[in-house]
Amino acid sequence: MTAVEAQALEEARRLAMLSGDADALARLLAPELRYVHSTGVCDTRESLLQKVRERAITYLALSFEDMHATATEDAVLIGAHMRAEVQRLHEFRRIETTYLAVWLRRAGKWQLSAYQGTAVGAFCA
């Protein structure tokens, strides 16, 4: 896995989330996904896809910056800075986080297995 290939995975996820394309997003998510938002809310694959399908969460703007990747043959850890404008039900929010995404390759297919977002400015010892 090269850095360019790792960035392509994250770009595919970013575009699926930004467009609200739950079917494209579903192809990228592992069955065991644990997606921890910067608020501490944890979604499973199913609960995250349901939020996207029902428009309970809509990304109005979404960017990933300062991305770096550490890869092995079948796993890649991607860290980056995320900025987003999100509509959650009737609430508009601007979000800025750092995150760690874990992608695993199984049977030749890469899928997001874990995601942990941390609000920028959060205490880290």
Side-chain angles (χ1 to χ4, degrees), residues 1-10 67-78 103 105 110:
M1 164 76 57
T2 68
V4 171
E5 290 169 325
Q7 289 176 347
L9 289 172
E10 281 295 273
M67 193 177 300
H68 58 276
T70 303
T72 66
E73 186 176 324
D74 294 316
V76 62
L77 305 176
I78 299 174
W103 290 81
R105 181 169 60 175
W110 288 96

Side-chain angles (χ1 to χ4, degrees), residues 1-2 5 14 16 18 25 29-30 32 34 36 43 49 62 72 75 82 87 90 103 108 122:
M1 164 76 57
T2 68
E5 290 169 325
R14 187 188 75 82
L18 187 56
L25 188 58
L29 305 181
E32 74 280 359
R34 289 296 175 261
V36 182
D43 274 309
L49 289 172
L62 180 61
T72 66
M82 181 195 80
Q87 187 77 34
H90 301 293
W103 290 81

Side-chain angles (χ1 to χ4, degrees), residues 29-69:
L29 305 181
E32 74 280 359
L33 175 69
R34 289 296 175 261
Y35 193 102
V36 182
H37 300 268
S38 61
T39 60
V41 171
C42 182
D43 274 309
T44 63
R45 179 182 190 275
E46 292 75 24
S47 64
L48 182 62
L49 289 172
Q50 181 178 357
K51 287 177 181 177
V52 172
R53 281 190 182 103
E54 295 177 353
R55 304 279 189 218
I57 184 169
T58 303
Y59 289 86
L60 307 171
L62 180 61
S63 67
F64 299 157
E65 303 162 6
D66 303 323
M67 193 177 300
H68 58 276

Side-chain angles (χ1 to χ4, degrees), residues 85-104:
E85 292 180 0
V86 177
Q87 187 77 34
R88 290 189 177 161
L89 300 175
H90 301 293
E91 180 185 356
F92 173 81
R93 295 183 60 191
R94 283 194 173 90
I95 300 168
E96 186 174 356
T97 68
T98 57
Y99 73 84
L100 177 64
V102 179
W103 290 81
L104 300 178

